[in-house]
Amino acid sequence: MNAFLAIVRRDLSLALRQGSDAAMALMFFVIVVTLFPLGVGPEPGVLERISAGIVWVAALLAAMLSLDRMFQSDYDDGTLELLLLTPAPLELLVLAKCLAHWLTTGLPMLVIAPLLGLFMNMQTEAFPVLLATMALGTPVLSLIGGIGAALVLGARRAGALVALLVLPLTIPLLIFGVSAIEAAVTGQSSEAQLLIIGAMLLATLPLAPWATAAALRQAVS
Amino acid sequence: MNWFHWFANPARFMRFAARLQPWIMALGLATGAAGLYYGLIDSPADYQQGETVRIMYVHVPSAWMAMFVYVFMAFAAASFLIWKHPLADVAAQAAAPVGAGFTLMALVTGSLWGQPMWGTWWVWDARLTSVLILFFLYLGYIALVNAFDDPERGSKAGAILLLVGAVNVPIIKFSVDWWNTLHQPASVARMDGPAIDPSMLLPLLLMAAAFQLYFFYLLIVRMRGELTARRIRLLRLSDPA
């Protein structure tokens, strides 16, 4: 457990001191969303209709942007090999990396999402559901993204490759995230969709670190 | 498991595959010809869909193969990672473009069938979307395997990705039951027996067998090619001149 907390603390302080890296994903998130009113026109009805999808797609893209820094710098400077040599189980350390990644990208996106919803004319009743889907969904993004980030270590054009590998796996999340918000907008219950996203989180929580650890082991072997 | 380890010797596999290859081709051509005859000439047109139902004899087998090849690759990936079986990785890499081809064919023929039946080329229905994801997974695997300077690294990373992507296969299979959308539910592999007339089931199964044999034929061709290429690489490395 000490190793777990130590890694979370280390990654957080690294992110805070470098600053710009973590902020970049957030800025990207905001900029992508602001492009849409300019692209499709500022008509409020249209924006309201597409707001849930835009915010979610932008969140997926922003997460992709931040994934390559999850293991890459540790891989480059040899920290990763030391992590593999520690007695603590690698799966737990991966979980710590994913938690740190979520705290530096998922959580800020979650905080700023209602503001973007407001930009996009989203109805205020939908905000709690938007927050709920993001709160359950962004950790899934960090966990699945970890697999992709670990697989492409040492590959050519790793950044583009990680998007190709991870985005197809996150499509179910996008579908249920958006349909939960649309259900809330039309006055229906979005409980079913939220339960499914919760189930995705519960399934990826043990399984994704396991696959990521396997990928990391083969990356340094 | 004895036969499984028996193939761990690539030279033995090469000899065996070379002997098997013409038989698979002959059997595949025979079932394919019979399937085409029964499918295009002998079987009746559907009372609702008319002649367009004949698209089924290409569409359904290719969709089955799209899933079968992925499952085959996932098993190959597992045996590569667990038992370090030397041929499993060759088999997975040889199968990937073929599987991607079957998936693309299922998508294209489905689109051609959807236009007269549903009045649209494409809908974002659960079955179509999950098969499209399968296509992306194939492309992702091929891209990942080829992205490393060291082929060994690509093989291992690809094998892990194959196992991760296997979660999509049951989603495809049951998508028509879980989501009640435009695509029709399963009518052959059902608990209460096939809900399809024998006159149509026969050519469908013949075509499925032909597609299966075609896949194994291509697999052997591609695996033999890959093993030969590896041997050439080794000879080049060992011979300084």
Side-chain angles (χ1 to χ4, degrees), chain B residues 170-187:
Chain B
I171 297 181
I172 300 176
K173 176 71 188 83
F174 296 109
S175 57
V176 283
D177 304 321
W178 293 342
W179 292 277
N180 221 336
T181 43
L182 207 47
H183 197 285
Q184 64 160 338
S187 44

Side-chain angles (χ1 to χ4, degrees), chain A residues 75 147 150-157 161 164-165 168-169 171-172 175-176 196 211-212 214-216 218-221, chain B residues 129 133 136-137 139-141 143-144 146-150 152-158 160-161 164-165 167-168 171 179:
Chain A
Y75 176 74
I147 305 176
L151 282 175
V152 300
L153 284 178
R156 297 184 296 265
R157 290 179 304 276
L161 194 57
L164 181 64
L165 301 183
L169 296 172
I171 289 176
I175 292 174
F176 288 109
I196 289 180
T212 310
L216 289 179
Q218 64 88 18
V220 296
S221 64
Chain B
T129 313
I133 297 174
F136 291 149
L137 286 175
L139 296 186
Y141 171 76
L144 181 65
N146 294 318
F148 294 92
D149 294 323
D150 174 14
E152 179 80 359
R153 291 262 348 249
S155 305
K156 282 190 184 156
I160 295 171
L161 180 71
V164 172
V167 293
N168 190 38
I171 297 181
W179 292 277

Side-chain angles (χ1 to χ4, degrees), chain A residues 6 10 28 39 63 82 94 97 123-124 185 190-191 201-203:
Chain A
R10 168 181 172 271
F28 183 79
L82 291 177
V94 166
K97 297 286 283 185
Q123 287 178 19
T124 39
V185 169
S190 45
E191 194 191 340
L201 177 58
L202 290 180

Side-chain angles (χ1 to χ4, degrees), chain B residues 35-109:
Chain B
L36 284 177
Y37 169 74
Y38 283 115
L40 297 184
I41 299 160
D42 198 50
S43 76
D46 190 68
Y47 77 101
Q48 259 182 335
Q49 307 191 2
E51 298 290 340
T52 46
V53 77
R54 299 189 198 282
I55 299 174
M56 174 178 76
Y57 303 122
V58 177
H59 174 68
V60 173
S62 48
W64 283 345
M65 288 310 293
M67 281 191 278
F68 171 82
V69 175
Y70 196 89
V71 174
F72 172 86
M73 287 164 63
F75 273 112
S79 43
F80 174 64
L81 288 178
I82 298 168
W83 296 295
K84 312 247 182 300
H85 197 293
L87 281 178
D89 169 55
V90 180
Q93 288 189 32
V98 187
F102 280 127
T103 314
L104 187 63
M105 189 144 75
L107 288 168
V108 169
T109 52

Side-chain angles (χ1 to χ4, degrees), chain A residues 11 20 24 26 39 57 66 84 95 111 113 124 138 150 163 176 197 204 211 213:
Chain A
D11 275 20
S20 60
M24 204 109 76
L26 198 62
V57 170
S66 64
L84 259 79
L95 203 60
V111 171
T124 39
T138 44
F176 288 109
I197 301 178
T204 45

